[in-house]
Amino acid sequence: MSEPSLPDGVERREIAGEERLATRGEPVYGEPTADGWRAWEPERSKLGGMLELGLETGLAGGETVLYLGAASGTTVSHVADFAGPTYAVEFAPRPARDLLDAAEPRDRLFPLLKDARRPGTYAHVVEADVDAVVQDVATRGQADVAVRNARFLADDGRLLLAVKARSEDVTAAPEEVFEGALDRLRDAYEVLETRRLDRFHEDHLGVVATPK
């Protein structure tokens, strides 16, 4: 099987003596850079890990993206480097301040200080039929958040979700947590692919899904 193609605007570049995933843009989190390209470090990014592991994300470049759990902008800044309009939802004020800094040189990145569990609070801002929802929220009910935000996805859009087992239940086996999350997701999505992300993120499951 051939390796899934990377989105336009994401390339493997020689940076600091290593071939790395990279996007073109201003650095955000101290990542190595070379010739305008910034390394996309999979150990710092769930979506970067999913791309590095070869999941079929469906991303081609230029998509409209809703990013849930943007934190200080590590991953969503890379997304905005190659995507179209990118709406970045973050609930906590402290990382949101850093997110604003990441958005300053990126005219396609729109930070929203909102709660991803309450999509009605930003439905008036986020355009309908986005191409991708990328989710990395460290809270209980991660699959429920994804289901609530399915309203924004185009019929052929993609959910790219990282489920963090320890955020759901620190006492349960990760496999049980993942199965429960997938069961909830199937209320609104068809699950296309799953992959453990342990090479880069322990006790995380990468999920690619599309709306039912």
Side-chain angles (χ1 to χ4, degrees):
M1 290 177 57
S2 60
E3 180 178 319
S5 59
L6 295 171
D8 287 345
V10 181
E11 296 184 9
R12 295 192 182 277
R13 309 284 297 194
E14 185 81 15
I15 300 177
E18 276 184 61
E19 187 183 78
R20 307 165 183 250
L21 287 178
T23 61
R24 291 188 71 89
E26 292 294 320
V28 169
Y29 53 100
E31 67 277 21
T33 60
D35 302 321
W37 291 84
R38 48 192 293 250
W40 190 349
E41 300 187 355
E43 296 85 1
R44 300 281 299 273
S45 167
K46 315 305 188 309
L47 181 58
M50 291 169 72
L51 288 169
E52 192 69 70
L53 292 169
L55 274 78
E56 291 275 10
T57 64
L59 296 172
E63 290 87 1
T64 300
V65 176
L66 172 61
Y67 194 105
L68 306 174
S72 57
T74 296
T75 296
V76 76
S77 62
H78 284 291
V79 172
D81 286 346
F82 71 84
T86 303
Y87 301 94
V89 175
E90 174 50 46
F91 180 64
R94 177 64 191 90
R97 288 198 291 271
D98 293 333
L99 178 60
L100 287 172
D101 291 339
E104 183 65 31
R106 293 176 170 84
D107 58 9
R108 298 191 297 265
L109 180 54
F110 305 105
L112 301 172
L113 183 59
K114 299 289 184 180
D115 185 345
R117 295 169 294 187
R118 300 176 62 203
T121 63
Y122 47 87
H124 63 294
V125 177
V126 178
E127 59 191 273
D129 297 332
V130 303
D131 301 303
V133 170
V134 181
Q135 181 179 315
D136 178 18
V137 296
T139 183
R140 286 181 179 268
Q142 293 163 80
D144 191 55
V145 171
V147 169
R148 293 183 191 186
N149 282 274
R151 61 193 283 182
F152 296 109
L153 258 181
D155 290 343
D156 61 348
R158 289 290 184 273
L159 169 71
L160 306 173
L161 167 66
V163 181
K164 183 177 183 181
R166 300 306 177 195
S167 292
E168 292 286 348
D169 188 339
V170 296
T171 64
E175 293 79 9
E176 294 177 14
V177 173
F178 297 149
E179 194 51 52
L182 291 172
D183 283 346
R184 175 67 175 115
L185 280 178
R186 292 187 180 103
D187 290 342
Y189 295 95
E190 177 187 354
V191 176
L192 303 178
E193 186 178 7
T194 64
R195 187 84 57 86
R196 290 288 292 260
L197 306 181
D198 294 74
R199 176 177 160 192
F200 303 113
H201 302 279
E202 188 175 0
D203 296 332
H204 283 71
L205 183 73
V207 181
V208 181
T210 194
K212 283 186 172 178

